[in-house]
DNA sequence: TATATTTGCTTGCGATTTGCAAGTGCAAAG
DNA sequence: CTTTGCACTTGCAAATCGCAAGCAAATATA
């Protein structure tokens, strides 16, 4: 898997080269906030992403060093995807996406996470980063 | 212009329904951090987006209430695009994208904005929001 | 007043990417 | 030793994209 090409030396543009699509950040959301870790779990999420796109994005995330892929502890035929530190550093970004969506998009469900984020954004982000780190051990 | 369909009631997913592509946030970057305001200026930016995509994204941003489109003060054949409050609320998100890109992507230029963001993230975001509000008046 | 240029799109077209459905290979369970 | 579950892969039609050119209205220049 080859990395997507960089369109410019702009930091924002470079981030979008990797994250700028409708699916990638949903996978990371599933890992960070929902605690998912396998292909099958990602495939079942509410937004129903096509499996070829899922496989493509997982490969891309792995080659970018945002997630790691290891054989699952319980089954040899299963893989476990975890966030690296580079991936965990996307937590604040995801927090902002959640808050903006909640404030400005119609028909968005209220969740416990939302309430938590609004009351203590930085603390909530740290908490989920720590949970993900703990799961990786 | 019809809004893109919502894939689920998740806030993060709903934000991505609108912002999840490689171009939309670049336009908003140009307006907020670089001070651009017209079609021609957007078309000339470093990443060279195709003009049909530019026109499409501007229409989408306008119909979503993220930017306003008005006739330019100096020329009747020109339009001025400005951020609404909904658009200004994306400033923290853009800040996070810039910081992550700078930390984790190779070949990204250092800029004055980056230094500013790293020294006082919240203050810098407020400053650019205020600048954009001032330009709108 | 006639011509050229600027500005903001629109159109056509081949190439890429997507969504959907079905199929494949492998490991473990029965 | 057949069946089930998991992790993908493949085929194909439809949508989207990049690229180049074209177009119409407003302004600048001669």
């Amino acid at each position: 898997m080859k990395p997507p090409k960089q369109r410019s030396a702009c930091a924002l543009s470079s981030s979008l080269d990797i994250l700028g699509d409708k699916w990638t950040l949903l996978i990371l959301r599933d890992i960070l906030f929902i605690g998912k870790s396998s292909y099958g779990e990602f495939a079942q999420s509410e937004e129903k992403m096509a499996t070829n796109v899922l496989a493509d994005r997982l490969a891309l995330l792995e080659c970018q060093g945002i997630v790691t892929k290891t054989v699952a502890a319980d089954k040899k035929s299963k893989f476990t995807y975890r966030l690296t530190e580079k991936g965990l550093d996307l937590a604040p970004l995801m927090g902002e996406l959640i808050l903006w969506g909640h404030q400005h998009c119609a028909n968005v469900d209220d969740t416990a996470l939302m309430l938590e984020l609004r009351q203590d954004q930085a603390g909530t982000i740290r908490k989920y980063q720590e949970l993900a780190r703990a799961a990786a051990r």
Side-chain angles (χ1 to χ4, degrees), chain A:
Chain A
M1 172 69 51
K2 58 170 189 276
K5 68 176 166 200
Q6 197 173 29
R7 289 172 296 174
S8 80
C10 165
L12 200 153
S13 157
S14 298
S15 294
L16 290 177
D17 289 336
I18 298 171
L19 305 168
D21 77 285
K22 297 205 188 303
W23 301 110
T24 302
L25 282 162
L26 287 189
I27 297 174
L28 300 176
R29 167 203 67 179
D30 283 355
I31 301 179
L32 183 65
F33 293 116
I34 312 185
K36 293 182 182 176
S37 63
S38 68
Y39 184 96
E41 289 177 305
F42 303 140
Q44 281 161 31
S45 62
E46 214 181 342
E47 294 86 3
K48 298 283 171 220
M49 83 171 87
T51 55
N52 56 347
V53 175
L54 173 55
D56 178 80
R57 296 305 187 280
L58 282 173
L60 214 47
L61 284 169
E62 194 197 353
C63 98
Q64 287 292 319
I66 293 171
V67 304
T68 57
K69 177 183 185 176
T70 55
V71 175
D74 53 335
K75 267 191 183 180
K76 279 182 190 167
S77 66
K78 201 172 158 185
F79 294 104
T80 298
Y81 296 90
R82 303 275 187 214
L83 294 174
T84 62
E85 283 300 315
K86 182 173 175 179
L88 288 168
D89 280 350
L90 287 166
L93 174 67
M94 290 192 260
E96 294 295 346
L97 273 170
I98 292 171
L99 287 173
W100 189 84
H102 181 243
Q103 256 188 291
H104 294 290
C105 296
N107 308 317
V108 165
D109 284 345
D110 277 303
T111 61
L113 172 60
M114 203 95 71
L115 187 66
E116 221 183 324
L117 269 174
R118 297 184 70 178
Q119 287 185 342
D120 177 13
Q121 188 172 350
T124 303
I125 293 303
R126 268 196 307 274
K127 171 187 147 187
Y128 281 95
Q129 286 176 327
E130 268 317 307
L131 281 171
R133 280 197 193 96
R137 283 184 233 117

